Amino acid sequence: MNDYTPKPEHKFTFGLWTVGNRGRDPFGDFVRPPVTPIQIVKKLSSLGAYGVNLHDNDLVPIDASPSERDSIVKEFKQALSDYNMHFVMGTTNLFFDPLFKDGAFTSNHPQVRAFTLQKCMQAIDLAAEMGAETYVFWGGREGTETDAGKDPIEALKWFRDGINFLIHYVKDQGYPLKFAFEPKPNEPRGDIYLPTVGSMLAFIETLDDPAMCGVNPEVAHENMAGLNFVHAVAQAIERGKLFHIDLNGQKFSRYDQDFRFGAEDIKGAFFLVKMLEESGYGGPRHFDAHAYRTEDEEGVWEFAKGCMRTYLILREKANRFHQDEEIQGILEQIHAWDTDLQARTSYSKENADWLRAHAFDLDALRNYGYQYEKLDQLTTELLLGIR
Ligand code: GCO
Ligand code: MN
Ligand code: MN
């Protein structure tokens, strides 16, 4: 009998803002009462989660006095230890306050850019004090509606300068934190800079310490742009840059829906879980999603359970995929190696001469069938539960 019960060893985490989401949207107000951070920690712990993540102001109000801040943090740390929950990822809210309306690191206003550094330093201190491993930067409002007023080349330089400042701040403080950058193509801005995983990976290489920096890709964000999320994550994994991940569900090319993991594109979710498990990714499985606006508090916890359960079911399906003789038989044929020929494809003068002279059977290649139809149907049947 399979057991899909989440356990801390599965490393499932939730942002306070996810299960704490009260259902407000641009068209309508809150539909659920607030749940306190401590209630969230308690409930998630009872559901088998590993830990929580937060924005500075999810825990400490932006106008809290230093002593208020300290007592809130103390109480929260106590709750984490009481309920055996980890604090995994910290981040800064650089989008809610009206002063961030033109962005934070890339605001045209120099005082906003400087205030951003101050707010980030404080939020990084908070994350380090609570033992976070990873610090996420999501450029919520780092973008424009019109390019008439902001130079996008200059904006990228400002963003780089700001992040470099914080890289040096973290090193000077001796915090063992890594930075993870989260791309998104649009929303809430008309366009957000560095919109995809690929563009973020390129940007990271230009920072003062690229080794300390990786990405935090989100299913919804690549899918909003019509892109294949598995391929985006693959590129990050291949470069050792997958530091964190935001799992959720999304219909392609729509607004950021943040549905329960697996609620949409179940096959995409399957290939994602399969790749994460096979790649040895050891980081948290973070759900950055929220319950439908139709739900009451009970529905919120159903949503949280659903995210974790679906992940575990898909993980088990990935194991079955490996055990399925018919599927594996086809894969063996597809992946058959021609080792002699393979050896000829690493460059040497001799190999180049040999390859130039080699006669390929082009008709055999033209007529070769890859069997993907059968393989995909078998995968679909496996997912539908009849294999
Ligand atoms: C969004 C983002 C955010 C970030 C979060 C952490 O589209 O709203 O996904 O949820 O992940 O702010 O940086
Ligand atoms: Mn996210
Ligand atoms: Mn998002």
Side-chain angles (χ1 to χ4, degrees):
M1 208 26 211
N2 292 308
D3 178 14
Y4 303 118
T5 310
K7 300 194 182 77
E9 75 220 38
H10 299 132
K11 286 199 127 182
F12 292 133
T13 62
F14 289 83
L16 290 185
W17 69 92
T18 64
V19 283
N21 180 289
R22 299 178 55 201
R24 187 165 58 168
D25 71 15
F27 302 94
D29 212 342
F30 296 124
V31 292
R32 292 184 282 267
V35 193
T36 69
I38 289 176
Q39 286 169 319
I40 290 175
V41 166
K42 189 174 165 188
K43 184 70 189 182
L44 285 176
S45 164
S46 75
L47 297 181
Y50 171 79
V52 288
N53 308 316
L54 52 84
H55 300 91
D56 46 357
N57 306 132
D58 294 338
L59 186 64
V60 183
I62 195 164
D63 49 4
S65 70
S67 68
E68 279 163 354
R69 175 222 184 257
D70 289 348
S71 77
I72 293 171
V73 172
K74 194 169 161 218
E75 210 189 335
F76 189 71
K77 280 170 81 171
Q78 188 59 47
L80 289 174
S81 110
D82 289 350
Y83 298 105
N84 194 25
M85 287 280 278
H86 298 80
F87 175 61
V88 181
M89 176 273 262
T91 183
T92 328
N93 187 324
L94 296 172
F95 44 87
F96 192 81
D97 194 288
L99 72 89
F100 293 122
K101 58 191 164 194
D102 188 36
F105 294 102
T106 65
S107 167
N108 256 327
H109 204 302
Q111 288 200 30
V112 173
R113 299 200 298 273
F115 174 69
T116 296
L117 297 179
Q118 183 193 75
K119 191 171 196 288
C120 285
M121 284 190 285
Q122 285 165 356
I124 286 172
D125 292 343
L126 174 71
E129 182 184 339
M130 299 207 305
E133 300 157 12
T134 306
Y135 203 83
V136 162
F137 291 90
W138 172 58
R141 295 195 189 270
E142 311 292 6
T144 57
E145 284 70 44
T146 167
D147 290 325
K150 193 161 22 174
D151 177 345
I153 296 179
E154 202 59 28
L156 282 178
K157 289 183 181 150
W158 289 336
F159 193 28
R160 178 181 305 110
D161 289 347
I163 297 298
N164 282 338
F165 180 105
L166 296 172
I167 285 177
H168 295 295
Y169 176 71
V170 164
K171 286 177 185 294
D172 267 358
Q173 299 297 312
Y175 296 149
L177 275 177
K178 295 175 298 179
F179 285 177
F181 296 89
E182 179 178 344
K184 185 174 182 181
N186 57 274
E187 200 190 321
R189 297 310 294 270
D191 286 288
I192 297 179
Y193 299 129
L194 301 168
T196 62
V197 172
S199 42
M200 210 48 106
L201 286 170
F203 175 74
I204 285 171
E205 293 306 316
T206 72
L207 295 170
D208 280 356
D209 186 2
M212 172 179 159
C213 301
V215 287
N216 176 38
E218 174 170 318
V219 177
H221 297 180
E222 300 293 303
N223 288 176
M224 283 166 73
L227 299 174
N228 182 318
F229 186 64
V230 175
H231 294 186
V233 175
Q235 191 186 0
I237 290 176
E238 206 261 334
R239 299 311 300 159
K241 290 294 187 195
L242 186 67
F243 285 10
H244 196 269
I245 192 161
D246 280 2
L247 302 171
N248 55 19
Q250 169 77 27
K251 284 190 204 285
F252 274 68
S253 307
R254 305 254 173 116
Y255 70 95
D256 190 21
Q257 295 173 309
D258 289 337
F259 289 153
R260 191 181 71 256
F261 180 59
E264 297 292 334
D265 186 21
I266 197 74
K267 204 158 71 175
F270 167 70
F271 288 124
L272 176 64
V273 169
K274 183 170 171 296
M275 185 173 68
L276 288 176
E277 296 298 318
E278 287 167 5
S279 70
Y281 169 71
R285 275 74 172 156
H286 171 230
F287 299 106
D288 187 11
H290 50 77
Y292 302 140
R293 192 166 182 270
T294 47
E295 301 310 291
D296 60 7
E297 191 184 326
E298 208 181 312
V300 171
W301 303 121
E302 285 305 315
F303 146 84
K305 285 193 263 179
C307 286
M308 297 188 281
R309 186 172 165 83
T310 297
Y311 188 100
L312 292 174
I313 294 169
L314 292 176
R315 193 176 76 150
E316 200 239 333
K317 295 282 181 192
N319 286 337
R320 281 198 199 195
F321 186 93
H322 284 288
Q323 285 154 13
D324 189 300
E325 281 175 19
E326 201 174 357
I327 290 177
Q328 291 308 313
I330 296 175
L331 284 173
E332 251 167 55
Q333 289 172 37
I334 294 174
H335 293 155
W337 285 98
D338 182 334
T339 39
D340 291 345
L341 190 60
Q342 190 62 26
R344 292 289 185 184
T345 57
S346 59
Y347 184 80
S348 69
K349 177 114 192 19
E350 192 203 336
N351 281 350
D353 289 343
W354 184 90
L355 264 180
R356 264 148 139 19
H358 184 66
F360 287 91
D361 183 350
L362 296 187
D363 271 336
L365 298 179
R366 288 176 187 125
N367 294 326
Y368 180 76
Y370 285 82
Q371 303 186 68
Y372 293 164
E373 279 293 355
K374 184 157 187 197
L375 194 55
D376 187 66
Q377 180 65 26
L378 292 173
T379 306
T380 303
E381 292 186 11
L382 188 142
L383 289 176
L384 291 176
I386 65 159
R387 289 187 78 77

